[in-house]
Amino acid sequence: KTADVSGGPWLRYLVGLDAFLVLSGAVLTSYVGVVGVSRRLALDSCVPEFLLSRNQWRGTNHWIIIGFFVVCCSMLGILQGDTAVLSKVYSVSFLGLMI
């Protein structure tokens, strides 16, 4: 609403487009990070090695990507889209990682 009041509709659309691009980059970065960490864990035999199997068409680790998608969607479903609770889950996860 601030962009609409201060700059008009064009600024509102520009801010919306910028937010979309930033969030898209964040999602892509999370997938790249999860694939990298999961591959390393599978190579070190900390998680099952079947996660290292590659898709013949694209050469991606499809089980890791599908697993991360399922975990994200299940969290969204369990929390019923409540972003306040979801932010607390991420905060606790980040603090647990730092310990």
Side-chain angles (χ1 to χ4, degrees):
K1 188 170 180 177
T2 304
D4 198 21
V5 170
S6 62
W10 69 271
L11 186 59
R12 180 182 62 199
Y13 292 121
L14 184 65
V15 169
L17 177 66
D18 182 56
F20 173 77
L21 292 173
V22 168
L23 289 174
S24 298
V27 169
L28 180 61
T29 302
S30 69
Y31 270 95
V32 169
V34 163
V35 169
V37 168
S38 299
R39 280 181 43 83
R40 186 73 250 169
L41 288 172
L43 288 169
D44 291 342
S45 300
C46 296
V47 294
E49 290 186 12
F50 80 89
L51 293 174
L52 292 174
S53 61
R54 290 184 171 263
N55 185 340
Q56 293 177 359
W57 186 46
R58 293 269 188 194
T60 57
N61 301 102
H62 56 281
W63 290 117
I64 297 172
I65 295 170
I66 292 169
F68 184 60
F69 178 76
V70 167
V71 167
C72 290
C73 288
S74 65
M75 278 188 7
L76 186 65
I78 290 169
L79 298 174
Q80 298 175 350
D82 188 2
T83 56
V85 175
L86 190 58
S87 67
K88 291 174 187 174
V89 168
Y90 282 127
S91 297
V92 169
S93 299
F94 182 73
L95 290 174
L97 180 68
M98 297 302 286
I99 294 177

